[in-house]
């Protein structure tokens, strides 16, 4: 199972990106055995901790997660013989929580809309759980630079090889920042002219921080997209290798996720829709003959009761489909 992590497929997108005069590929990291890009960091961080003696036989893995990292850690933990304890937010889909419990993880659900230093936040809960369990490894993906290293050593080289070095733009959502930062570092070492575009959520502070170096608390408000954006600045984000950010909202990301399935036959997750929505907002600014790679981080099977559910979409006040054939994502929030 662990040997299946990485070397995920990349496919060209067609009708959903028309009339873009270039080539757009989707990097399908939902094809990892744990169905997300987080398999890469789970294995890398755990094996590094084993080598350094920070995780010993019979130990416990503790983490804060929006779901995917927890699933990957639980999977690796089963195969390596570790207990797994996870703190998630109440934004995490019921499907994801059920996955985690099925894999034997202890799951603690915490409120999403509290400051990071609040005692009830999932960051605080994660630290508490790690301190309460002897021989525990607190993965701490938001502040662990091994998160970046994992993608520098795997995702970046894969994309470079799969595009034969022709990639001109890399687009990815930024949450912890590990995926976009590690991949961007590798790609820019090969060709510093590659433009790296981060996708952030309305309700998150990342775009403003990248542009000003300051957190604007007015940017912070509740939103629904999982694994995109943050209300604080993670150490696992290297802003120096990200050229710019584009913001997307909950509804356009959800609709794009559904359109990816309908137009490209790809069942991708909510943040995949966010990433592609971000690209389509700026596609007119990209040069002709660009070669763009968009990261699709996880599989759509985890969102059947959310973005792929008409009932959930209606509950959020979202449309369930767009009117007409033309997709217009150029308007402001």
């Amino acid at each position: 199972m662990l040997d299946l992590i990485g070397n995920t497929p990349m496919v060209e997108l067609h009708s959903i990106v028309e009339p873009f005069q270039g080539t757009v590929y989707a990097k399908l990291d939902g094809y990892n055995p744990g169905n997300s890009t987080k398999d890469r960091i789970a294995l890398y961080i755990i094996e590094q901790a084993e080598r350094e003696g920070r995780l010993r036989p019979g130990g416990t893995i503790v983490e804060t997660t929006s779901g995917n990292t927890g699933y990957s850690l639980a999977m690796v933990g089963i195969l390596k013989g570790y207990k797994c304890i996870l703190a998630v937010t109440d934004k995490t889909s019921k499907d994801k929580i059920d996955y985690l419990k099925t894999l034997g993880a202890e799951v603690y659900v915490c409120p999403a809309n509290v400051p990071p230093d609040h005692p009830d936040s999932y960051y605080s809960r994660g630290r508490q759980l790690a301190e309460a369990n002897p021989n525990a490894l607190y993965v701490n993906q938001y502040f662990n630079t091994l998160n970046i290293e994992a993608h520098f050593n795997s995702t970046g080289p894969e994309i470079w090889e799969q595009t034969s070095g022709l990639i001109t733009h890399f687009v990815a959502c930024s949450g912890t920042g590990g995926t976009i930062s590690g991949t961007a570092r590798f790609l820019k070492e090969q060709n510093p002219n590659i433009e790296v575009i981060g996708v952030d959520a309305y309700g998150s502070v990342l775009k403003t921080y990248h542009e000003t170096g300051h957190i604007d608390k007015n940017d912070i408000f509740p939103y629904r997209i999982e694994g995109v954006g943050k209300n604080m600045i993670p150490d696992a984000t290297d802003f120096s290798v990200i050229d710019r950010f584009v913001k997307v909202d909950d509804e356009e990301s959800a609709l794009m996720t559904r359109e990816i399935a309908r137009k490209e036959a790809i069942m991708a997750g909510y943040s995949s829709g966010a990433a592609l929505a971000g690209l389509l907002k700026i596609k007119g600014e990209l040069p002709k003959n660009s070669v763009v790679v968009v990261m699709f981080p996880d599989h759509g099977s985890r969102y059947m009761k959310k973005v792929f559910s008409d009932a959930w979409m209606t509950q959020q006040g979202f449309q369930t489909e767009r009117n007409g054939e033309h997709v217009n994502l150029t308007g402001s929030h």
Side-chain angles (χ1 to χ4, degrees):
M1 281 286 284
L2 300 182
D3 290 339
L4 295 174
I5 294 174
N7 296 310
T8 53
M10 195 158 67
V11 299
E12 184 177 354
L13 302 180
H14 296 284
S15 63
I16 201 166
V17 294
E18 292 177 354
F20 178 67
Q21 295 182 336
T23 306
V24 180
Y25 295 103
K27 178 67 167 164
L28 302 182
D29 255 28
Y31 279 69
N32 278 300
N35 296 136
S36 89
T37 193
K38 297 298 187 178
D39 285 4
R40 299 175 185 268
I41 71 166
L43 183 62
Y44 189 86
I45 292 173
I46 287 173
E47 291 192 337
Q48 187 69 17
E50 289 174 333
R51 285 190 290 269
E52 295 173 357
R54 292 183 292 113
L55 183 61
R56 298 181 296 278
T60 301
I61 302 164
V62 177
E63 181 56 329
T64 55
T65 173
S66 63
N68 283 331
T69 301
Y71 185 85
S72 299
L73 290 169
M75 178 188 73
V76 176
I78 286 172
L79 297 172
K80 286 179 169 286
Y82 302 120
K83 181 181 178 181
C84 191
I85 302 176
L86 305 168
V88 304
T89 75
D90 53 16
K91 282 201 310 185
T92 303
S93 69
K94 183 178 182 300
D95 290 352
K96 283 186 178 180
I97 293 173
D98 288 344
Y99 266 120
L100 297 173
K101 290 181 177 179
T102 299
L103 288 178
E106 289 183 22
V107 182
Y108 296 83
V109 180
C110 308
N113 300 319
V114 295
D117 57 354
H118 191 282
D120 292 334
S121 76
Y122 76 152
Y123 306 105
S124 299
R125 190 67 170 136
R127 287 191 297 271
Q128 296 163 10
L129 291 166
E131 291 167 0
N133 286 273
N135 192 18
L137 172 70
Y138 182 28
V139 174
N140 200 15
Q141 60 178 322
Y142 300 97
F143 300 98
N144 190 337
T145 56
L146 292 177
N147 189 345
I148 298 175
E149 283 186 26
H151 291 284
F152 179 88
N153 289 320
S154 64
T155 317
E158 286 174 30
I159 290 173
W160 182 255
E161 181 179 353
Q162 288 171 320
T163 61
S164 300
L166 298 177
I167 179 175
T168 61
H169 298 77
F170 177 61
V171 181
C173 289
S174 190
T176 66
T179 301
I180 191 170
S181 301
T183 305
R185 273 189 193 174
F186 180 88
L187 293 175
K188 283 182 175 286
E189 282 191 7
Q190 313 312 307
N191 177 4
N193 294 321
I194 294 171
E195 184 176 6
V196 176
I197 301 163
V199 177
D200 191 20
Y202 285 104
S204 162
V205 300
L206 299 180
K207 182 175 185 291
T208 299
Y209 183 84
H210 180 254
E211 295 168 352
T212 67
H214 300 285
I215 294 175
D216 185 348
K217 292 186 178 180
N218 292 321
D219 284 342
I220 301 173
F221 56 83
Y223 60 95
R224 303 302 302 171
I225 314 172
E226 298 170 37
V228 183
K230 277 288 161 283
N231 60 356
M232 50 75 176
I233 305 303
D235 288 349
T237 303
D238 181 356
F239 289 93
S240 70
V241 294
I242 302 170
D243 294 290
R244 58 169 160 163
F245 276 90
V246 179
K247 283 221 180 194
V248 295
D249 67 28
D250 294 338
E251 183 174 18
E252 65 188 348
S253 300
L255 288 169
M256 184 59 67
T257 306
R258 292 164 71 110
E259 287 181 7
I260 291 168
R262 188 166 60 248
K263 293 185 176 180
E264 301 289 343
I266 297 171
M267 288 295 290
Y270 200 171
S271 61
S272 302
L276 189 58
L279 169 63
L280 294 187
K281 280 188 168 181
I282 60 167
K283 68 179 182 180
E285 304 171 24
L286 273 54
K288 294 180 180 179
N289 302 318
S290 296
V291 177
V292 184
V293 176
V294 184
M295 174 59 73
F296 283 10
D298 68 352
H299 197 275
S301 59
R302 297 197 175 151
Y303 302 88
M304 298 309 298
K305 294 179 182 177
K306 295 192 76 172
V307 295
F308 293 113
S309 163
D310 286 352
W312 185 87
M313 294 284 284
T314 301
Q315 288 168 5
Q316 308 310 309
F318 300 164
Q319 303 172 71
T320 56
E321 61 183 26
R322 295 193 184 279
N323 295 322
E325 293 298 319
H326 180 63
V327 179
N328 180 7
L329 289 173
T330 58
S332 61
H333 176 66

